[in-house]
Amino acid sequence: MRMRKKKNLEPRMERVAALLEEDPCAQRGRWRAALPGAEELRLEIGCGKGTFTVETAKRHPQVLFVAVERVADALVMGMEKALAEGVSNVRFVCDDAARLGEMFAPEEVDLLYINFPDPWPSRKHAKRRLTYVDFLNSYRAFLKPGAELHFKTDNRPLFDFSLTQFPLAGYALSQVTNDLHRDDPNVIMTDFEARFAAEGVKINRCVATVAALPERAEQVEALSLLQYWQEGDRVPHGMERVVEQERLRRQAEARKNSRR
């Protein structure tokens, strides 16, 4: 669902300009200067409205957070929250995740968050998923050895697919759960997550740790998320269209078979 364009975006962005890094590539290898003595540098891809970012930064004031979001209308809301709450250990970036290698130097990032990304459910769009093996390999260029990647999603098919991708890129899996709020009721939630939790939707989460690359990594898993979804299951956010198309296809096939 496309976010409604915010009114007065330009003046709002100007008011929070101190938190926005307009030239993130120029900060490559220099990010920690924004918080001298920072214990860690953590990166969040697709921070949305910034609720998770701001609350996590408040819990860890000695950690520098960099939050990347390509939709300025969402990003400005996150920056406004940070400014209103006096959170100074976050820098926001309005850019695409495909350019992260240009923004961060080797071994510069201690922890990476990927929360509720677009599922890109069709087979032809599989490579756009932020947990596809090619993306996971690209993160290794700036993650420290032993760094963690924390992944959360309401989308069980995307989660199950992602679990096949982490080993291909040399990440060791741990803390795998299909019911995060049962296992960790004090978890900090994103805006999407809070909405899903209110609806009783279970949240999937795992931790993937940078380890040795496998000797052989061949993509043999199904790429369409429909292969991980069964009729009767909840239709995850972002998969409504492909599920409806699949249902129409099955109905047409059933009608065709009935006429034979």
Side-chain angles (χ1 to χ4, degrees):
M1 181 173 65
R2 178 174 293 180
M3 174 171 285
R4 185 181 303 168
K5 190 170 183 61
K6 302 299 178 186
K7 295 181 180 179
N8 304 318
L9 177 61
E10 187 172 340
R12 290 173 68 188
M13 292 288 279
E14 290 176 357
R15 285 194 290 270
V16 293
L19 298 176
L20 178 67
E21 181 50 62
E22 295 187 1
D23 188 4
C25 296
Q27 300 305 313
R28 190 173 189 266
R30 304 174 182 175
W31 284 101
R32 291 171 190 261
L35 185 68
E39 296 175 356
E40 294 181 358
L41 191 161
R42 300 186 186 182
L43 168 64
E44 182 184 1
I45 304 176
C47 68
K49 298 176 183 178
T51 298
F52 175 86
T53 310
V54 172
E55 291 303 314
T56 307
K58 285 164 63 177
R59 259 189 214 187
H60 303 279
Q62 299 306 312
V63 172
L64 176 64
F65 290 81
V66 180
V68 178
E69 171 60 56
R70 61 185 177 85
V71 181
D73 297 307
L75 188 70
V76 70
M77 299 174 72
M79 291 190 289
E80 288 172 341
K81 288 176 185 176
L83 187 65
E85 300 191 33
V87 176
S88 59
N89 57 324
V90 181
R91 293 295 178 271
F92 293 86
V93 174
C94 190
D95 213 319
D96 193 275
R99 289 185 2 106
L100 291 175
E102 302 172 38
M103 303 178 200
F104 297 94
E107 301 185 15
E108 190 170 14
V109 177
D110 296 276
L111 194 154
L112 173 61
Y113 298 104
I114 302 178
N115 295 324
F116 300 89
D118 290 338
W120 295 105
S122 69
R123 176 186 175 87
K124 68 179 180 179
H125 291 146
K127 291 186 177 182
R128 297 189 181 187
R129 297 171 198 154
L130 294 180
T131 53
Y132 185 78
V133 63
D134 290 355
F135 264 113
L136 296 176
N137 278 324
S138 72
Y139 307 147
R140 295 180 65 100
F142 53 79
L143 288 173
K144 288 184 175 180
E148 292 182 347
L149 186 162
H150 293 194
F151 173 51
K152 285 197 293 187
T153 179
D154 69 300
N155 191 313
R156 181 64 182 269
L158 174 63
F159 188 70
D160 289 346
F161 167 79
S162 301
L163 294 181
T164 72
Q165 301 301 289
F166 287 115
L168 291 178
Y171 292 75
L173 286 166
S174 63
Q175 300 180 44
V176 178
T177 177
N178 300 122
D179 195 349
L180 173 60
H181 295 167
R182 177 199 63 196
D183 298 340
D184 186 1
N186 296 317
V187 67
I188 297 174
M189 291 191 282
T190 71
D191 292 285
F192 268 134
E193 190 172 358
R195 190 185 83 190
F196 294 142
E199 297 171 355
V201 176
K202 293 181 179 180
I203 304 302
N204 308 282
R205 177 183 180 270
C206 69
V207 172
T209 303
V210 176
L213 283 167
E215 292 184 5
R216 183 177 180 181
E218 184 178 355
Q219 181 70 271
V220 296
E221 305 297 337
L223 297 183
S224 169
L225 295 189
L226 283 173
Q227 299 298 313
Y228 301 84
W229 179 84
Q230 299 294 325
E231 187 68 53
D233 291 347
R234 167 183 173 265
V235 179
H237 176 71
M239 286 186 61
E240 297 88 351
R241 183 177 178 182
V242 295
V243 167
E244 181 61 22
Q245 289 175 336
E246 176 64 11
R247 284 172 172 164
L248 292 174
R249 185 194 67 79
R250 291 177 183 178
Q251 291 170 6
E253 184 175 337
R255 288 194 297 269
K256 181 178 179 182
N257 292 337
S258 67
R259 292 195 294 265
R260 289 179 178 174

